[in-house]
Amino acid sequence: MKKFGLAILGIVAAIVVLANLGSILALAISGAIAFAGFHYYRKSDSTFLKLFWGIVLLIGLVTAVSNVPAFIGIIALLGVYYVWRKWNERTNENVIEAAYSDDPFVNFERQWDEITK
């Protein structure tokens, strides 16, 4: 039942990510524009260039903030990552934890589990 819930969560989150892929790319582009504006704003010496790069920075920030679906897509992407991690998580439910035992099968299971990790 746990795997079924993870599968449903992963499928829904993947659909949301794919539906918001365009806005995620637009957010990345507007973030790059804002970063470039900030970078060149700090490097420029003249007032005109500072004003120009400040306007570029402002445009990049406004377009980045206006991409609300991209933030939803990023949260869904984190959900897909969570499902991926939980799905591939190993459990030691079948291994009997006995530090020292005379039973050779228990020791074999413990050593086999250490080898396969």
Side-chain angles (χ1 to χ4, degrees), residues 33-72:
I33 291 170
F35 178 75
F38 179 71
H39 176 74
Y40 288 115
Y41 175 80
R42 290 185 44 153
K43 286 182 105 178
S44 61
D45 293 328
S46 70
T47 306
F48 175 73
L49 284 177
K50 281 197 178 275
L51 181 67
F52 175 74
W53 289 116
I55 291 172
V56 169
L57 171 63
L58 186 66
I59 290 171
L61 287 176
V62 167
T63 57
V65 169
S66 67
N67 280 322
V68 174
F71 296 117
I72 295 170

Side-chain angles (χ1 to χ4, degrees), residues 62-93:
V62 167
T63 57
V65 169
S66 67
N67 280 322
V68 174
F71 296 117
I72 295 170
I74 290 171
I75 292 170
L77 189 62
L78 291 174
V80 169
Y81 178 71
Y82 171 76
V83 169
W84 182 272
R85 292 279 304 218
K86 286 294 184 180
W87 190 274
N88 292 329
E89 189 175 81
R90 288 188 173 195
T91 59
N92 293 331
E93 295 171 355

